[in-house]
Amino acid sequence: MTVPPKPESRPSNPNFSSGPCAKRPGWTLEALKGALVGRSHRSKPGKAKLQEVIDRSRALLNIPADYRIGIVPASDTGAVEMALWSLLGARGVDMVAWESFGKDWVTDVVKQLKLADARTFTAGYGKLPDLTQVDFKNDVVFTWNGTTSGVRVPDGEWIAADREGLTICDATSAAFAMDLPWDKLDVVTWSWQKVLGGEAAHGMLVLSPRAVARLESYKPAWPLPKIFRMTKDGKIVEGIFKGETINTPSMLAVEDALDGLRWAESVGGLKGLIERSESNLAAVADWVAAGTTAAFLAEVPATRSCTSICLKFADPKLAGQTPEVQAEVAKKVASLLEKEGVALDAGAYRDAPPGLRIWGGATVERSDIQALLPWIDWAYATVAAELVA
C-alpha cells in the first residue's frame, strides 16, 4: 500500500470524543462566570437556574407542555435506571438492543429485576433488530441512537400510536441532534455531556402523562433507593420537575448546560442543531463513497447515526487478517491520530468491532470533520504498510 503524504491542514478542534463531547465553538471558562458557586441549589436563585435548564430544554426540543422534565443524578445512566426500576413490572416488557448500552438495560431487566415476562430483541453491531416483532401491548425499552454502534432508528413510524404499554427511550446521543416524536414516547432520557457538549454527571428525565399515571398507580415489588424515588404517598413529587433535584447538582455544570442551551438557540434551535449534525455525517459519507479506507459500521444508510459516526476499515487485505491483527491496526491508527493531535479519543468503543468512532454532534464543525478525513487515510496507510501483508 502506498502511503500518501501527510496532510497539511489540521482540525482546529481535535476533540472527537463520543462523551464527554466537544464543547461548543468558541467555548472558554468565561462561559461559567455566572455560575452560582458557594450557594445552595435549593436557594431561590439556585432553583431558578435549574428551572431555566428545564424551560430552555423544553422549548428547544418542543417537549409538550404536559410532559414533566426533571434533572436527575448519575447522567443518562441514572435517568434510565430510575425509569426501569420505578416503572417496569406492571406488564410485560420488550427490550430492544443493538449495542452495549441497550444490552446493559437488558441485563438490568433480566438479571437484576428478574422480570420473567421480558422479551429480548437484539442485533449485532451495525444492524437493527426486527422492529416489527415488538409488541406495544408491553412496555418497550430501547435506545434511539446506539452510541457505540453508530446505528439509530430511522424514525418513529415503527412505534404504535395506540400502544398500551409505555415506551422508554434512552436518547442520550439523539436529543438535540435528531427529531424525536414526543407523542410516541413516554419516557425519554439524555445527559448534558453529549450533543450540547455539557459537563458530565447529570441526567435529564422526561415523563409523559401516561408515565406519571403509571408511577401513581403502580408500586414495584422491589425496594427503591432514595435517588430513584419519584412518588410520595402515591403521588408524583412535583418538586423534582421544578428544579428541586433529588441530590446536590454541580452549579458549575448547571451554568455550562445553560451556556450550551443558549448557544443552541443562537444557531437556529433544534432545526439548526440537526442540520449541523447531518452535515457532519454527509461530509463523512462523501469521503467514504470517494475512497477505499473506511466503510460505515451501520449497514443501512437510513440507520447511520449523525452523532456517533462509527467506521470500520474497508481494506480487503485487513479483512483476511486475524481478529488480533485487525484490533491492533485499529488501535494503532487511533493512537497515530492522537499523536499527531488531529483526533483525540476517536477509537471504536471497547466492545465494538475494530475501527474508529467520530463524534459528529452539533458542537463539531464540519470543517474540522473535513480536515480530519485525509488524516485517517494517511494514518491507515501508514499502519497498514507495517502490519497488513
Side-chain angles (χ1 to χ4, degrees), residues 9-16 22-26 276 279-280 283-284 341-343 358-376:
S9 297
R10 293 172 176 269
S12 297
N13 184 352
N15 295 332
F16 294 102
K23 310 298 286 185
R24 61 152 174 92
R276 287 175 65 88
S279 178
N280 288 336
V284 177
V342 295
I358 304 169
W359 183 254
T363 57
V364 174
E365 300 279 30
R366 179 186 172 100
S367 58
D368 285 336
I369 294 273
Q370 290 173 317
L372 167 63
L373 299 173
W375 282 94
I376 298 177

Side-chain angles (χ1 to χ4, degrees), residues 129-205:
D130 182 0
L131 300 178
T132 65
Q133 299 300 309
V134 175
D135 184 355
F136 287 95
K137 292 180 180 179
N138 296 330
D139 294 331
V140 180
V141 179
F142 68 102
T143 56
W144 191 273
N145 181 83
T147 308
T148 65
S149 71
V151 175
R152 61 176 164 180
V153 292
D155 51 49
E157 293 301 314
W158 62 283
I159 302 173
D162 60 348
R163 64 191 181 279
E164 296 179 21
L166 301 178
T167 48
I168 300 175
C169 173
D170 174 356
T172 195
S173 57
F176 299 101
M178 302 172 198
D179 200 11
L180 302 176
W182 293 101
D183 61 324
K184 292 190 173 183
L185 302 175
D186 295 299
V187 180
V188 179
T189 68
W190 70 87
S191 67
W192 297 348
Q193 71 187 51
K194 293 293 185 179
V195 178
L196 297 187
E199 291 305 295
H202 301 80
M204 299 293 289
L205 175 67

Side-chain angles (χ1 to χ4, degrees), residues 91-97 106 109-110 115-122 130-141:
R91 60 173 62 230
V93 58
D94 283 4
M95 304 294 299
V96 187
V106 171
V109 169
V110 174
L115 295 183
D117 51 1
R119 303 195 310 162
T120 301
F121 303 92
T122 61
D130 182 0
L131 300 178
T132 65
Q133 299 300 309
V134 175
D135 184 355
F136 287 95
K137 292 180 180 179
N138 296 330
D139 294 331
V140 180
V141 179

Side-chain angles (χ1 to χ4, degrees), residues 61-383:
L61 293 174
N62 302 314
I63 299 173
D66 57 352
Y67 280 48
R68 289 167 172 81
I69 307 173
I71 298 170
V72 301
S75 193
D76 176 68
T77 299
V80 174
E81 298 283 14
M82 286 179 73
L84 299 184
W85 288 71
S86 299
L87 294 165
L88 295 186
R91 60 173 62 230
V93 58
D94 283 4
M95 304 294 299
V96 187
W98 58 91
E99 50 91 51
S100 61
F101 289 104
K103 291 176 182 176
D104 285 343
W105 311 143
V106 171
T107 297
D108 276 3
V109 169
V110 174
K111 295 186 178 181
Q112 300 299 320
L113 295 179
K114 296 181 173 24
L115 295 183
D117 51 1
R119 303 195 310 162
T120 301
F121 303 92
T122 61
Y125 282 88
K127 301 179 181 179
L128 278 176
D130 182 0
L131 300 178
T132 65
Q133 299 300 309
V134 175
D135 184 355
F136 287 95
K137 292 180 180 179
N138 296 330
D139 294 331
V140 180
V141 179
F142 68 102
T143 56
W144 191 273
N145 181 83
T147 308
T148 65
S149 71
V151 175
R152 61 176 164 180
V153 292
D155 51 49
E157 293 301 314
W158 62 283
I159 302 173
D162 60 348
R163 64 191 181 279
E164 296 179 21
L166 301 178
T167 48
I168 300 175
C169 173
D170 174 356
T172 195
S173 57
F176 299 101
M178 302 172 198
D179 200 11
L180 302 176
W182 293 101
D183 61 324
K184 292 190 173 183
L185 302 175
D186 295 299
V187 180
V188 179
T189 68
W190 70 87
S191 67
W192 297 348
Q193 71 187 51
K194 293 293 185 179
V195 178
L196 297 187
E199 291 305 295
H202 301 80
M204 299 293 289
L205 175 67
V206 178
L207 301 177
S208 73
R210 298 178 74 247
V212 173
R214 170 75 63 83
L215 283 170
E216 294 184 335
S217 63
Y218 165 70
K219 184 177 181 180
W222 43 83
L224 294 177
K226 177 182 178 181
I227 60 171
F228 285 5
R229 295 175 205 153
M230 292 183 277
T231 61
K232 184 176 181 180
D233 298 327
K235 293 294 181 181
I236 191 83
V237 179
E238 294 288 1
I240 296 173
F241 308 96
K242 296 180 179 179
E244 297 174 13
T245 55
I246 294 176
N247 73 332
T248 305
S250 162
M251 298 310 292
L252 279 171
V254 168
E255 196 64 33
D256 196 52
L258 286 170
D259 176 74
L261 290 163
R262 295 188 193 105
W263 171 79
E265 293 161 1
S266 76
V267 297
L270 181 60
K271 182 175 183 292
L273 296 171
I274 292 174
E275 288 175 352
R276 287 175 65 88
S277 293
E278 291 290 350
S279 178
N280 288 336
L281 173 61
V284 177
D286 289 345
W287 169 74
V288 167
T292 58
T293 298
F296 286 99
L297 189 57
E299 297 179 353
V300 178
T303 69
R304 290 171 185 163
S305 171
C306 63
T307 55
S308 53
I309 303 171
C310 295
L311 302 170
K312 58 186 177 181
F313 296 114
D315 183 357
K317 290 184 178 179
L318 180 62
Q321 303 292 323
T322 65
E324 291 76 17
V325 170
Q326 294 176 24
E328 182 67 12
V329 167
K331 181 179 178 180
K332 283 185 174 293
V333 169
S335 179
L336 188 53
L337 294 172
E338 185 153 343
K339 181 180 178 181
E340 290 289 339
V342 295
L344 307 178
D345 310 315
Y349 187 73
R350 61 179 178 267
D351 294 334
L356 297 174
R357 181 171 57 157
I358 304 169
W359 183 254
T363 57
V364 174
E365 300 279 30
R366 179 186 172 100
S367 58
D368 285 336
I369 294 273
Q370 290 173 317
L372 167 63
L373 299 173
W375 282 94
I376 298 177
D377 289 326
W378 171 81
Y380 178 76
T382 300
V383 172

